[in-house]
Amino acid sequence: MSLLIRNARLLTLAGPNRPRRGKELGELGLIPQGEVMVADGKIAAVGPKVEAPADAEIIEAQGRVLMPGFVDCHTHACWAGDRLNEWEQRLRGVPYLEILKAGGGIHATVQAVREATKKQLAAHLKTRLEAMLREGTTTVEIKSGYGLETEAELKMLRAIVRAGHEWPGTIVPTALLGHAFEGDHNEYTRMVVKEMLPAVSKEFPNITVDAYCEEGAWSLEACVRFFEKAAKHHPHRVHADQFNSLGMIPEAIRLGARSVDHLEATTKADLTMLAKSRTMGVILPCTGFHVDGCYARAGSLVHQDGAVALATNCNPGTSPTHSMPLAIALAVRFCGLSPAEAIAAATVNGAAVLNLPDRGTIETGQRADLLLLHHKDERQLAYELGGNPVATVICAGQRVNQ
Ligand code: NIG
């Protein structure tokens, strides 16, 4: 059965089949009054007027915005337990890294994840995925990283895959094998490289790997050691410069990382180096909003012709939100992106980070992951705070809400 959406303000984001850089981020490929025909889960035609079969289901957009589904390219959405006590401590002024050093923070979630079964983890995750879908996320990356033991990391990855089977959108698992450590850091890194990485590689060949380069988490040396080993078989990404700039950006670029994520504490020189590289910068403004009021200077990256993607970083410690519209609203207020740039960063560039060139734009042949907003002006996405701007979500050609 085919579907025709007509009389829509279309943000096609059509363009080159690669990440948008610099000025390109502001170009949304607007068709002010257009139509999209969907068949077999894909976009069959798009333009001011398209041909559609007589029996096509019709959605009358009444001039509202139709755009690609959000691609949330950085989350830790698989967890158990909560971090409410830690949050109260932080409200009283105790810093995040101090709580981590004292064995709380990530370690508290590790404890809860180890105690949960795979089925329980998948069930918690499913609830969050349903909330994501309602707010327009049709593709989401989800990291492990709360296991810190080989079996527990594998359990997380299996739970993520399992939850994905019951969700109409697309899940991309990432093996975050360098999130924190237990015992001696050197010994722990050796265990990850010699035992955890091969076990993960065996069950999840080609999975993207990740690490958290930060004081009290993984050192620069440990990250480099891990990525040098992993890069032979796995694409890699890295959490860099969240609180401290430890020199990870130049190393990540040298090692060919797909993205460097966070960037709140990145130096001017490293931002310039990043803008000139093929590694993408991923910004996570919900974290600055929840933790410490520090934000990545994404506008500077864009002015220097860099490529930026935007994600929620959904996790229990630093970003308890699943909302891409909120991430857009904050990126515009605090990271120096325009509404159009934030939209491109949340769609086509998120897809590029995940190496999914079949989505993030509305072009013939693309997967039909589409959002019909309540609004006739896409700037409302960035302007509005705390509402849900998404009226209808279409996933692989199927309407998954009304
Ligand atoms: O990206 N900073 C490292 N990882 C997450 C936080 C995880 C947590 O605190 O549970 C982040 O912010």
Side-chain angles (χ1 to χ4, degrees):
M1 176 76 166
S2 35
L3 176 66
L4 174 70
I5 304 134
R6 63 185 188 199
N7 191 19
R9 179 175 167 86
L10 284 183
L11 312 184
T12 67
L13 287 111
N17 194 5
R18 57 165 173 74
R20 304 294 185 266
R21 315 187 67 88
K23 277 202 205 80
E24 293 170 347
L25 271 139
E27 293 159 15
L28 296 182
L30 177 70
I31 300 178
Q33 191 173 22
E35 298 186 343
V36 175
M37 225 274 283
V38 171
D40 300 325
K42 295 198 169 168
I43 293 166
V46 47
K49 203 91 198 130
V50 302
E51 291 290 313
D55 64 348
E57 185 191 345
I58 292 181
I59 296 181
E60 176 53 57
Q62 296 168 325
R64 290 174 294 155
V65 172
L66 186 78
M67 61 177 288
F70 296 126
V71 180
D72 190 350
C73 69
H74 181 134
T75 85
H76 307 251
C78 181
W79 79 80
D82 68 59
R83 301 263 285 277
L84 292 168
N85 292 341
E86 165 191 332
W87 178 58
E88 283 212 301
Q89 269 181 288
R90 286 201 287 104
L91 288 176
R92 289 196 298 271
V94 187
Y96 176 86
L97 288 181
E98 204 168 291
I99 294 170
L100 179 66
K101 201 168 160 198
I106 292 171
H107 295 288
T109 303
V110 167
Q111 189 61 34
V113 163
R114 284 180 182 166
E115 283 164 14
T117 62
K118 178 181 90 173
K119 200 170 163 194
Q120 287 165 336
L121 286 176
H124 295 315
L125 176 53
K126 200 167 163 244
T127 310
R128 292 173 201 128
L129 289 170
E130 280 160 9
M132 287 179 179
L133 197 65
R134 284 195 293 274
E135 293 200 33
T137 297
T138 49
T139 298
V140 58
E141 181 260 18
I142 306 174
K143 300 176 198 294
S144 66
Y146 292 125
L148 302 192
E149 285 167 351
T150 302
E151 262 319 303
E153 287 297 323
L154 288 170
K155 177 176 72 177
M156 283 195 78
L157 290 169
R158 291 174 192 142
I160 293 166
V161 169
R162 178 185 173 138
H165 290 150
E166 296 165 11
W167 193 60
T170 307
I171 283 183
V172 179
T174 293
L176 173 52
L177 304 187
H179 201 188
F181 62 90
E182 291 177 316
D184 177 74
H185 190 14
N186 258 328
E187 281 299 311
Y188 185 84
T189 309
R190 188 169 311 131
M191 182 280 286
V192 169
V193 168
K194 291 239 173 309
E195 177 197 314
M196 195 185 279
L197 179 62
V200 167
S201 293
K202 191 165 171 223
E203 191 168 333
F204 300 92
N206 312 317
I207 193 170
T208 298
V209 297
D210 200 336
Y212 177 30
C213 184
E214 185 52 80
E215 279 175 16
W218 273 45
S219 67
L220 177 64
E221 294 67 30
C223 288
V224 169
R225 201 164 128 204
F226 169 59
F227 288 132
E228 277 179 343
K229 189 78 184 171
K232 293 191 185 99
H233 303 290
H234 300 275
H236 49 286
R237 305 174 57 183
V238 62
H239 292 59
D241 300 353
Q242 181 177 8
F243 299 105
N244 299 286
S245 171
L246 303 185
M248 189 66 234
I249 303 280
E251 287 298 321
I253 292 169
R254 176 182 73 78
L255 291 161
R258 187 168 284 162
S259 71
V260 284
D261 304 42
H262 270 292
L263 313 178
E264 291 89 339
T266 301
T267 63
K268 266 190 176 173
D270 281 359
L271 271 185
T272 300
M273 183 187 279
L274 179 59
K276 294 186 189 328
S277 77
R278 296 187 58 189
T279 297
M280 290 186 68
V282 177
I283 59 164
L284 311 165
C286 302
T287 293
F289 188 67
H290 184 64
V291 176
D292 58 2
C294 294
Y295 296 92
R297 288 170 293 170
S300 162
L301 259 183
V302 171
H303 288 135
Q304 297 181 77
D305 211 31
V308 179
L310 169 64
T312 63
N313 194 23
C314 174
N315 78 76
T318 67
S319 187
T321 180
H322 53 266
S323 170
M324 284 297 280
L326 178 64
I328 289 173
L330 297 179
V332 166
R333 282 164 182 77
F334 300 116
C335 301
L337 295 187
S338 69
E341 289 164 347
I343 289 170
T347 53
V348 62
N349 274 10
V353 169
L354 301 182
N355 195 25
L356 294 172
D358 67 336
R359 65 197 68 194
T361 67
I362 305 182
E363 293 172 286
T364 305
Q366 291 290 78
R367 186 179 147 101
D369 286 350
L370 301 167
L371 309 179
L372 180 61
L373 304 187
H374 289 294
H375 306 297
K376 294 184 174 176
D377 186 329
E378 60 279 6
R379 290 175 300 178
Q380 288 273 1
L381 253 183
Y383 174 72
E384 205 174 79
L385 284 167
N388 182 1
V390 178
T392 303
V393 181
I394 295 165
C395 241
Q398 299 295 319
R399 225 198 273 216
V400 292
N401 74 340
Q402 289 304 313

